[in-house]
């Protein structure tokens, strides 16, 4: 099945979410700004506590996009049929306080779009067989 892309724009930049699925699992790539990248991974599962791993961004610092991926995780968790991986990386060069504040609202909007899409497009579970 093709990927689904969601976009929001505010404060002079865009944030997007690319959704891919395998069986009932979900992969989301949250990127945007001037330098899209992959810096954090948030793991969401109905079987364990949500966790985020932040990779190094530069000496002495780690990526901070976990605040965005975790916001999205909370919104979509109730409608997930199985596991989700949310990978995030958004960098706005010389970000302003207004742009920084806008990111939370943008993540909220993306999360709601994704939640609504997943709710209206459930997947039939493919049964795994083991030896």
């Amino acid at each position: 099945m093709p990927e689904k892309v969601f976009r929001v724009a505010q404060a002079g930049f865009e944030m997007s979410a690319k959704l891919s699925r395998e069986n009932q699992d979900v992969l989301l790539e949250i990127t945007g700004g001037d330098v899209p990248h992959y810096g954090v991974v948030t793991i969401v599962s109905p079987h364990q506590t949500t966790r985020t791993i932040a990779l190094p961004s530069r000496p002495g610092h780690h990526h901070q996009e976990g605040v965005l991926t975790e916001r999205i995780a909370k919104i979509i968790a109730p409608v997930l049929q199985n596991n989700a991986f949310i990978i995030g990386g958004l960098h706005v060069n010389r970000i302003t306080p207004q742009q920084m504040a806008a990111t939370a609202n943008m993540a909220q909007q993306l999360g709601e779009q994704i939640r609504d899409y997943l709710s209206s497009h459930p997947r039939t579970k493919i049964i795994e067989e083991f030896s």
Side-chain angles (χ1 to χ4, degrees):
M1 178 169 209
E3 300 166 338
K4 176 76 175 164
V5 178
F6 306 88
R7 288 185 168 82
V8 294
Q10 191 175 328
F13 71 97
E14 182 178 274
M15 185 185 303
S16 66
K18 182 168 55 174
L19 183 148
S20 303
R21 295 168 98 176
E22 295 295 340
N23 199 1
Q24 292 182 324
D25 296 325
V26 172
L27 172 63
L28 289 171
E29 297 176 44
I30 311 300
T31 58
D34 299 310
V35 187
H37 60 277
Y38 302 125
V40 301
V41 177
T42 297
I43 302 163
V44 190
S45 173
H47 312 291
Q48 67 182 42
T49 303
T50 297
R51 296 187 313 218
T52 297
I53 299 168
L55 301 172
S57 59
R58 55 194 158 111
H61 298 272
H62 284 79
H63 287 277
Q64 300 297 309
E65 294 88 354
V67 297
L68 306 175
T69 57
E70 289 173 4
R71 179 180 288 257
I72 292 169
K74 286 179 185 171
I75 296 167
I76 68 168
V79 300
L80 288 176
Q81 292 178 278
N82 203 32
N83 302 319
F85 292 88
I86 307 172
I87 301 169
L90 177 138
H91 180 87
V92 176
N93 289 329
R94 303 181 201 288
I95 194 165
T96 66
Q98 295 80 14
Q99 289 173 315
M100 183 69 78
T103 61
N105 184 50
M106 294 167 78
Q108 181 76 26
Q109 290 177 36
L110 281 178
E112 291 168 359
Q113 291 177 36
I114 296 162
R115 178 199 61 209
D116 295 347
Y117 178 83
L118 291 172
S119 293
S120 62
H121 296 87
R123 282 283 180 95
T124 302
K125 183 175 179 77
I126 300 170
I127 305 300
E128 301 167 330
E129 297 181 19
F130 300 91
S131 299

